[in-house]
Amino acid sequence: MPSTRSGVPADRYINRELSWLDFNARVLDLAEDESLPLLERAKFLAIFASNLDEFYMVRIAGLKRRQSTGLTVRSPDGLTIREQLARVTERTRDLVHRHGDVFTKDITPRLEEAGIRIVHWEQLAEPESTRLREYFRDQIFPVLTPLAVDPAHPFPYISGLSLNLAVSVRDPDTGAPRFARLKVPNNVPRFIPVGADTAHDAASEATFLPLEDLIAAHLQQLFPGLDVLDHHLFRVTRNADLEVEEDRDEDLLQALERELARRRFGPAVRLEVAESMDPRILQVLINELEVDKEDVVHVPGLLDLGALWALYALDRPELKDDPFVPATHPRLSEGETPKSVFATLREGDVLVHHPYHSFATSVQRFIEQAAADPNVLAIKQTLYRTSGDSPIVNALIDAAEAGKQVVVLVEIKARFDEEANISWARSLERAGCHVVYGLVGLKTHCKTALVVRREGSVIRRYCHIGTGNYNPKTARLYEDLGILTADPRVGADLTDLFNTLTGYSRQTSYRRLMVAPHGVRAGLLEKFRREARNAAEGRPAGIRIKINSLVDERIIDALYEASGAGVPVELFVRGICSLRPGVPGLSENIRVRSIVGRFLEHSRVINVRNGGEDEWWIGSADLMHRNLDRRVEVLLQVCDDQAQRLMQGVFDAAMADDVRCWELGPDATWTRLEGRDYQAGLMAQATEHAVAAG
């Protein structure tokens, strides 16, 4: 490993874009895992496809935008933008072909064995094709709009992530070739049930025809009087990363709405085409879309396997994981009877671990009880993402209509949820809530709620601080932690934080919180350096971190320094990891492990031994530049003994030698280790505790 003049290895960082692709490769590993139920494997194919779409819309779009400035910019691992894009292209092509092969050569035959078939038009029997011709005539044909490309008709706009047919036709009188584009409508089911009335619910159907196949079989109806020569499927990915110029004199809501309107016209960053694409047609697309040849991805089989969610929705429970019902936290109920969250919290903190503990009977109930309680005077909450029919938002609206003071910070810049959050913000305002949009130049990403309640002559504050969004739907799919507490110090901290978010306060120091952008990186660096000093002095030392992404170079270098001082460092990283573990003289005391499974590991937890007086912190911040420098993030020190023991158990189980996981090596490669299912163990444990409590 080459060193700089200071002796620090120059290649001590792993490229973040390539590390992200490694994460998506781990998702693909699950699609290949024959021990998983078949539709779960198909689900992971869909997740892989959706992940890759967002990667190109945001990360690759950002690299291309910087490249267009002409500046020579290198990543922390020393690669130029051109070198990064070249490596991403090579790795992506390998993964896309592997992804397509898994679907066509493995999943599709197994689906057929299970009675779920995806067929092509030429495979249909006459009764089926006759019925589908009628369906096309009545339901599809009226929606389609073929767009010619010639001197009188400029090349049409191709919307991002839409499926399209490039159609070659010929004038029989002149023999002149023509080109047309036909968009596959996205408001019609992608997989059309075959063998039954298509107007019926497709959930019970087992044979499907892709919509593009049905359209392709009827192209002659769209181009009467012309000879249809050929057709090819393609798909464009566009830059969808918003750049809102935040001016203190301009309404942020209006600025964001203007940028949302522009998003659909972002430059193309990827062109996906069928492997059979005619080279001449491909060149037309490359020229008209203004993409480089390196941006073209040839996809084996079907394009856009994100559509496989439709198959996952089939009512075939034997092909899916066994259902899991989250348990109510034992302290929040007495048998089947819910307890007052406020009475419970006066007895001590409650650490909830979703999805093993129910979100609906803990965090959601906390907000709903606060909204209905006549003694509650005020509710203050941050909202980053929530669900379409949000019981949290509905409870806040009820509280405002009941006369309570309700303050909601809605982060309208939450990527890809901007329009939904604007809608929620307006609904809350109409109900009388005080709605704010955060601080100029920062996204408010923290997950916090504060309830102010009158109890006799005393005003008491109840709080929730978590690692996940206030979204009851994702709370059943994402692993997250949250603390419900009546600790006066936490209540005072959240009061100060909300005053900063809604007013002009510039508070940067807190009692039990670290708050970015001013306090998280500095606080963590100080703690990691303290661990190094403790190790050097022979005192108990150790660092454990559970995180989604580890990218920040100053944090990574501090972990390297701690390792060099003899501090054992255990990292549980779901996604991107730019740190190289196990490098002699640099990181031989660091282990990095990733677990990808049924639930998305999403919680952020940090533990330092602190000379034998362990500190535990949970919060919303990943260890990335954007989280530490450009967001309002909160880390909470968890002092409750029982909560600390639960988190200790989570780490011990995840880092055990017999757990199925991936481990990162010094050469930046991930190795899969077989073993027991860590998440299944937590599900069983939650069920056992619920039975014992009930």
Side-chain angles (χ1 to χ4, degrees):
M1 180 174 285
S3 298
T4 61
R5 282 178 293 182
S6 62
V8 179
D11 58 350
R12 64 192 183 276
Y13 307 122
I14 298 170
N15 183 269
R16 64 163 291 168
E17 318 303 346
L18 298 176
S19 182
W20 184 91
L21 288 172
D22 286 340
F23 158 66
N24 215 26
R26 297 195 288 280
V27 174
L28 189 52
D29 282 349
L30 296 179
E32 296 171 332
D33 190 339
E34 296 183 8
S35 70
L36 297 181
L38 184 57
L39 285 179
E40 299 297 335
R41 296 178 63 192
K43 176 191 74 177
F44 284 115
L45 287 177
I47 292 172
F48 173 94
S50 299
N51 284 350
L52 197 59
D53 285 346
E54 184 169 335
F55 176 68
Y56 268 85
M57 287 190 290
V58 178
R59 292 302 309 172
I60 300 307
L63 286 177
K64 285 181 171 292
R65 185 173 60 245
R66 277 179 278 165
Q67 186 182 42
S68 68
T69 66
L71 297 175
T72 302
V73 181
R74 291 185 180 269
S75 59
D77 58 312
L79 298 179
T80 65
I81 292 177
R82 183 179 297 277
E83 289 170 333
Q84 290 184 78
L85 290 172
R87 295 195 186 187
V88 165
T89 296
E90 181 181 7
R91 180 80 168 117
T92 298
R93 284 175 176 165
D94 289 343
L95 290 174
V96 166
H97 279 85
R98 181 176 150 199
H99 181 240
D101 284 347
V102 174
F103 177 66
T104 57
K105 298 177 182 178
D106 186 5
I107 300 295
T108 298
R110 292 174 187 267
L111 286 171
E112 288 203 18
E113 291 174 7
I116 301 171
R117 300 174 63 222
I118 299 175
V119 299
H120 298 292
W121 181 261
E122 60 271 14
Q123 297 174 269
L124 298 179
E126 182 58 33
E128 297 167 339
S129 59
T130 298
R131 185 181 56 78
L132 286 174
R133 284 191 185 95
E134 295 173 355
Y135 175 72
F136 176 82
R137 181 195 65 208
D138 297 337
Q139 303 293 328
I140 307 299
F141 182 80
V143 180
L144 300 176
T145 305
L147 297 173
V149 178
D150 58 32
H153 301 86
F155 192 85
Y157 172 78
I158 310 294
S159 54
L161 303 186
S162 63
L163 278 176
N164 300 271
L165 287 170
V167 184
S168 296
V169 296
R170 181 175 57 204
D171 186 327
D173 296 329
T174 66
R178 294 285 184 265
F179 172 83
R181 172 260 187 162
L182 187 62
K183 181 178 179 179
V184 178
N186 56 10
N187 55 358
V188 176
R190 172 77 182 282
F191 295 118
I192 302 168
V194 173
D197 185 351
T198 53
H200 290 174
D201 183 1
S204 62
E205 303 303 328
T207 303
F208 299 92
L209 178 75
L211 176 58
E212 60 268 27
D213 271 42
L214 179 62
I215 295 171
H218 294 83
L219 287 175
Q220 195 62 62
Q221 295 183 31
L222 291 152
F223 300 96
L226 297 175
D227 298 328
V228 177
L229 303 178
D230 208 352
H231 65 273
H232 303 277
L233 201 65
F234 71 97
R235 185 171 182 258
V236 175
T237 308
R238 294 187 176 276
N239 182 340
D241 195 19
L242 292 178
E243 289 187 287
V244 181
E245 295 293 333
E246 297 186 47
D247 189 323
R248 294 178 184 272
D249 297 326
E250 181 182 21
D251 185 285
L252 177 59
L253 196 63
Q254 293 178 359
L256 184 62
E257 287 179 321
R258 184 181 63 247
E259 288 304 310
L260 284 171
R262 292 179 183 172
R263 172 187 274 172
R264 60 188 298 265
F265 297 106
V269 295
R270 179 181 59 163
L271 172 60
E272 295 173 277
V273 300
E275 283 193 320
S276 59
M277 171 68 74
D278 184 315
R280 292 170 298 177
I281 298 298
L282 177 58
Q283 192 59 52
V284 170
L285 295 175
I286 289 173
N287 294 341
E288 296 291 348
L289 293 167
E290 299 181 339
V291 297
D292 297 327
K293 290 183 179 179
E294 291 74 19
D295 300 325
V296 178
V297 180
H298 292 267
V299 179
L302 291 176
L303 270 66
D304 186 18
L305 290 185
L308 291 178
W309 281 110
L311 296 189
Y312 186 78
L314 292 172
D315 186 17
R316 295 293 299 273
E318 76 280 11
L319 301 179
K320 302 179 186 180
D321 287 328
D322 292 335
F324 173 68
V325 179
T328 296
H329 192 288
R331 288 192 51 215
L332 295 175
S333 68
E334 292 178 351
E336 298 295 321
T337 305
K339 293 175 63 175
S340 164
V341 177
F342 304 121
T344 300
L345 297 186
R346 287 195 293 272
E347 299 169 359
D349 295 353
V350 173
L351 177 72
V352 286
H353 192 192
H354 311 302
Y356 312 106
H357 293 140
S358 168
F359 180 88
T361 60
S362 57
V363 179
Q364 180 179 321
R365 183 176 290 167
F366 170 55
I367 301 299
E368 289 174 339
Q369 287 187 357
D373 189 330
N375 293 318
V376 167
L377 305 177
I379 304 173
K380 303 181 181 184
Q381 188 163 3
T382 58
L383 286 179
Y384 191 75
R385 302 186 197 276
T386 188
S387 58
D389 180 22
S390 174
I392 296 286
V393 174
N394 292 337
L396 294 172
I397 289 172
D398 290 344
E401 291 176 344
K404 296 175 172 58
Q405 292 292 312
V406 179
V407 178
V408 189
L409 190 146
V410 180
E411 183 45 79
I412 57 174
K413 300 189 294 294
R415 183 179 289 136
F416 301 126
D417 275 343
E418 299 96 344
E419 293 184 41
N421 285 6
I422 289 172
S423 176
W424 284 127
R426 288 182 167 145
S427 296
L428 289 161
E429 284 179 329
R430 285 194 296 270
C433 300
H434 301 291
V435 178
V436 294
Y437 305 124
L439 304 176
V440 173
L442 299 173
K443 282 186 180 180
T444 303
H445 189 246
C446 54
K447 327 297 183 184
T448 58
L450 172 66
V451 172
V452 181
R453 189 172 188 264
R454 184 187 301 279
E455 297 175 0
S457 60
V458 175
I459 299 294
R460 184 172 273 117
R461 290 174 284 201
Y462 298 87
C463 311
H464 171 264
I465 296 177
T467 68
N469 296 305
Y470 291 103
N471 187 329
K473 292 182 179 178
T474 58
R476 298 176 70 94
L477 303 172
Y478 288 19
E479 178 272 343
D480 274 302
L481 289 162
I483 281 282
L484 291 159
T485 182
D487 186 322
R489 295 168 297 175
V490 179
D493 277 346
L494 282 193
T495 299
D496 291 341
L497 176 64
F498 275 103
N499 287 342
T500 299
L501 295 175
T502 62
Y504 289 117
S505 169
R506 295 187 177 182
Q507 178 136 350
T508 57
S509 61
Y510 297 85
R511 304 155 189 83
R512 290 269 304 280
L513 303 182
M514 287 189 281
V515 179
H518 302 290
V520 173
R521 183 192 284 107
L524 293 179
L525 290 176
E526 189 279 325
K527 294 179 189 307
F528 298 161
R529 289 164 183 158
R530 183 183 63 194
E531 293 305 299
R533 293 194 298 270
N534 286 339
E537 296 168 4
R539 303 179 67 200
I543 299 171
R544 279 181 154 184
I545 301 175
K546 182 178 185 296
I547 208 77
N548 294 317
S549 297
L550 173 58
V551 174
D552 188 80
E553 293 83 20
R554 292 174 63 189
I555 294 288
I556 291 172
D557 283 346
L559 294 174
Y560 286 150
E561 291 171 16
S563 172
V567 179
V569 179
E570 292 183 316
L571 304 177
F572 181 178
V573 184
R574 184 195 83 221
I576 304 168
C577 182
S578 293
L579 177 147
R580 290 184 186 271
V583 177
L586 178 71
S587 57
E588 62 263 44
N589 291 312
I590 303 179
R591 294 173 61 205
V592 178
R593 176 169 285 189
S594 179
I595 293 176
V596 182
R598 175 173 180 170
F599 304 126
L600 183 84
E601 295 291 332
H602 192 250
S603 64
R604 293 89 165 182
V605 185
I606 296 170
N607 166 233
V608 290
R609 290 298 315 279
N610 189 29
E613 299 180 5
D614 279 48
E615 286 186 13
W616 289 88
W617 298 78
I618 68 169
S620 55
D622 285 315
L623 300 180
M624 307 174 72
H625 305 139
R626 71 184 187 194
N627 299 86
L628 303 181
D629 297 324
R630 301 190 299 277
R631 291 186 175 186
V632 178
E633 304 274 15
V634 166
L635 293 183
L636 165 71
Q637 185 177 5
V638 178
C639 297
D640 181 82
D641 290 341
Q642 187 173 353
Q644 290 186 1
R645 286 193 296 272
L646 188 150
M647 289 188 288
Q648 180 77 41
V650 166
F651 263 109
D652 289 344
M655 303 304 291
D657 291 336
D658 62 344
V659 163
R660 184 170 67 230
C661 65
W662 287 260
E663 287 205 345
L664 181 61
D667 60 352
T669 60
W670 291 88
T671 301
R672 182 168 180 171
L673 305 178
E674 295 302 328
R676 61 184 174 83
D677 188 323
Y678 156 78
Q679 294 181 348
L682 290 177
M683 285 190 286
Q685 187 180 77
T687 302
E688 289 170 8
H689 290 170
V691 171

